[in-house]
């Protein structure tokens, strides 16, 4: 039994050694073209997280995520042979094709896909965090003011969509209360009636109810105006 231990240990070492070598797949331009139709946006200065969420699964499906990041297999090693170089060049070209010119100018000096990706994260993540803070501040400060309800809701939705685009979506219930807080005193009783106690409406339900309430207010104003005009004509 003792004499077999060195053999078993050697066998295990050979097995672990064979696992540590990552076989590089041979990809073609067509491999990347097939993925392009699944990407809905190009990388700009404001949507890195959303763009990355589309890119990562596709690169992983091609079996070359290790070209971009340490994918949790740090013990694996790949010789930079012809297949690796070819795949890396194709990946760089494909990624560049899914960026705006402004972003491409940020990575001019990158020689490999990993260098390019690292450079993007270093430059885009701080901008993403700054953009997040800016949008959240805009959301808090959003007031109806003198604008119409329709414009206010549209502006509010746009801010929420921009937050979602950078990977920080606003929860449905937060949307409801944030929008309600920005309404003027005209909607005070509506606010109290809708949000005094749970169950609270969804954002879609709240907006629909708000629009219906707005129509009721407009009809009420129209009736009051007609009554005043009629009274003035009668007594005038």
């Amino acid at each position: 039994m003792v004499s077999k231990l060195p053999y078993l240990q050697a066998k295990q070492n050979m097995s672990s050694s064979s696992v540590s070598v990552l076989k590089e797949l041979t990809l073609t331009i067509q491999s990347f073209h097939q993925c392009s139709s699944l990407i809905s946006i190009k990388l700009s200065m404001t949507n890195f997280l959303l763009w990355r969420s589309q890119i990562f699964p596709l690169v992983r499906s091609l079996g070359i995520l290790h070209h971009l990041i340490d994918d949790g297999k740090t013990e694996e090693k790949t010789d930079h042979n012809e297949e690796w170089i070819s795949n890396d060049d194709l990946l760089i070209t494909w990624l560049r094709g899914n960026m705006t010119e402004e972003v491409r100018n940020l990575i001019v000096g990158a020689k490999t896909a990993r260098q390019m990706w690292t450079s993007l994260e270093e430059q885009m993540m701080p901008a993403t965090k700054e953009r997040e803070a800016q949008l959240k501040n805009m959301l808090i400060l959003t007031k109806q003011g003198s604008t119409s309800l329709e414009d206010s809701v549209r502006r509010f939705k746009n801010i929420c969509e921009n937050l979602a685009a950078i990977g920080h979506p606003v929860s449905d219930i937060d949307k409801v209360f944030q929008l309600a807080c920005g309404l003027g005193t005209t909607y005070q009783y509506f606010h109290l009636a809708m949000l005094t106690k749970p169950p609270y409406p969804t954002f879609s339900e709240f907006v629909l109810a708000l629009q219906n309430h707005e129509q009721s207010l407009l009809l009420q104003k129209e009736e009051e105006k007609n009554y005043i005009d009629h009274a003035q004509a009668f007594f005038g």
Side-chain angles (χ1 to χ4, degrees):
M1 180 67 180
V2 175
S3 61
K4 292 183 179 181
L5 287 177
Y7 168 76
L8 292 174
Q9 186 174 4
K11 186 176 181 180
Q12 289 174 351
N13 290 338
M14 290 176 62
S15 176
S16 62
S17 176
S18 62
V19 171
S20 66
V21 177
L22 181 63
K23 181 175 176 57
E24 187 76 10
L25 301 175
T26 302
L27 301 176
T28 64
I29 294 177
Q30 285 70 28
S31 304
F32 291 91
H33 280 332
Q34 291 171 358
C35 294
S36 295
S37 61
L38 302 176
I39 302 174
S40 61
I41 57 172
K42 284 194 172 186
L43 176 61
S44 68
M45 299 299 293
T46 60
N47 65 355
F48 177 67
L49 293 180
L50 180 61
W51 181 80
R52 185 178 66 175
S53 71
Q54 296 188 15
I55 291 293
F56 258 37
L58 296 175
V59 176
R60 185 184 294 113
S61 71
L62 292 172
I64 54 172
L65 189 59
H66 57 279
H67 280 253
L68 298 183
I69 62 168
D70 174 6
D71 58 359
K73 302 176 181 179
T74 54
E75 75 279 4
E76 293 183 346
K77 297 180 180 179
T78 305
D79 291 333
H80 289 192
N81 51 26
E82 291 184 5
E83 287 81 7
W84 190 97
I85 294 172
S86 175
N87 287 345
D88 206 63
D89 287 344
L90 286 172
L91 179 57
I92 290 174
T93 302
W94 180 66
L95 289 174
R96 286 181 182 275
N98 286 286
M99 302 174 188
T100 63
E101 183 177 356
E102 184 180 12
V103 175
R104 287 197 295 269
N105 290 335
L106 299 177
I107 51 171
V108 172
K111 298 294 191 297
T112 65
R114 176 75 69 92
Q115 289 179 6
M116 182 180 70
W117 195 261
T118 301
S119 178
L120 282 174
E121 288 191 324
E122 289 175 350
Q123 297 183 74
M124 303 294 281
M125 288 305 290
T128 298
K129 292 185 180 297
E130 182 179 342
R131 178 64 171 162
E132 177 194 357
Q134 180 188 32
L135 289 170
K136 285 184 175 180
N137 191 50
M138 290 172 61
L139 199 64
I140 293 172
L141 297 177
T142 297
K143 305 291 182 183
Q144 184 183 0
S146 59
T147 61
S148 67
L149 177 66
E150 183 180 358
D151 288 340
S152 296
V153 172
R154 185 185 301 112
R155 185 172 67 251
F156 183 88
K157 286 182 176 179
N158 184 58
I159 296 172
C160 292
E161 288 170 358
N162 285 331
L163 279 166
I166 61 172
H168 295 279
V170 182
S171 69
D172 205 66
I173 191 64
D174 283 343
K175 287 181 184 179
V176 170
F177 279 90
Q178 288 280 9
L179 179 60
C181 288
L183 298 175
T185 55
T186 305
Y187 303 92
Q188 180 179 357
Y189 294 111
F190 172 82
H191 186 169
L192 291 173
M194 294 292 292
L195 303 178
T196 299
K197 60 181 180 179
Y200 301 116
T202 65
F203 181 68
S204 296
E205 291 170 343
F206 184 77
V207 170
L208 180 60
L210 183 59
Q211 290 170 337
N212 290 335
H213 181 71
E214 170 80 356
Q215 289 299 317
S216 297
L217 291 177
L218 292 175
L219 287 174
Q220 182 180 345
K221 287 182 179 180
E222 185 66 24
E223 290 175 357
E224 290 175 353
K225 181 178 181 301
N226 290 337
Y227 177 80
I228 293 173
D229 291 344
H230 179 74
Q232 288 177 341
F234 182 79
F235 292 105

